[in-house]
Amino acid sequence: MSETSSHKNAKTRGLSGSKTEVPIRGNRRLDASTSKIAREVERSSGEKSLAKAVRRLNSQTNKKKELLVPTPNLDKAKSVAEKVAKGKILIQNLSRTQRRFVK
């Protein structure tokens, strides 16, 4: 299934010099990455898919981790990340105006 335009725009917005679809261990891909930031965009609201996105971010060490989700899913993503995350994750809506932190 191809990416929607909002997904494509959200994953690179504000990341200068970013690489998209970065291969990571386990035959997986991360949406976008720079030398300091790893970003994953998850537009679906399922808990399993949110957990998968957090696990992809967990594989990135020494990087700031960002998870972008639609605004109605912010609290759900936070609760999933609290269970699955290893370290700090910043959860934001797609326009990056609302935030949730997981420590």
Side-chain angles (χ1 to χ4, degrees):
M1 196 166 153
S2 63
E3 289 179 329
T4 62
S5 60
S6 61
H7 181 105
K8 204 176 270 192
N9 291 335
K11 71 182 183 181
T12 57
R13 187 177 300 133
L15 288 180
S16 60
S18 64
K19 295 180 180 176
T20 60
E21 298 299 323
V22 179
I24 57 175
R25 196 169 166 203
N27 201 21
R28 300 176 295 168
R29 292 185 175 271
L30 195 63
D31 274 339
S33 179
T34 65
S35 60
K36 296 182 181 181
I37 297 173
R39 182 180 287 173
E40 186 68 28
V41 178
E42 186 55 52
R43 295 182 46 81
S44 67
S45 61
E47 289 187 16
K48 286 183 180 180
S49 56
L50 288 169
K52 276 184 170 182
V54 172
R55 285 190 194 101
R56 286 192 293 269
L57 287 171
N58 281 340
S59 69
Q60 301 299 298
T61 56
N62 298 329
K63 288 189 179 183
K64 180 180 171 186
K65 300 171 186 99
E66 296 181 349
L67 176 64
L68 301 181
V69 296
T71 305
N73 301 340
L74 280 172
D75 293 323
K76 184 189 279 190
K78 182 178 179 181
S79 65
V80 169
E82 286 172 344
K83 297 174 191 170
V84 179
K86 298 176 184 174
K88 299 177 185 177
I89 291 185
L90 171 65
I91 302 168
Q92 297 178 310
N93 64 341
L94 295 175
S95 60
R96 299 185 356 230
T97 57
Q98 298 178 22
R99 297 181 174 136
R100 305 287 187 271
F101 293 99
V102 175
K103 294 181 181 179

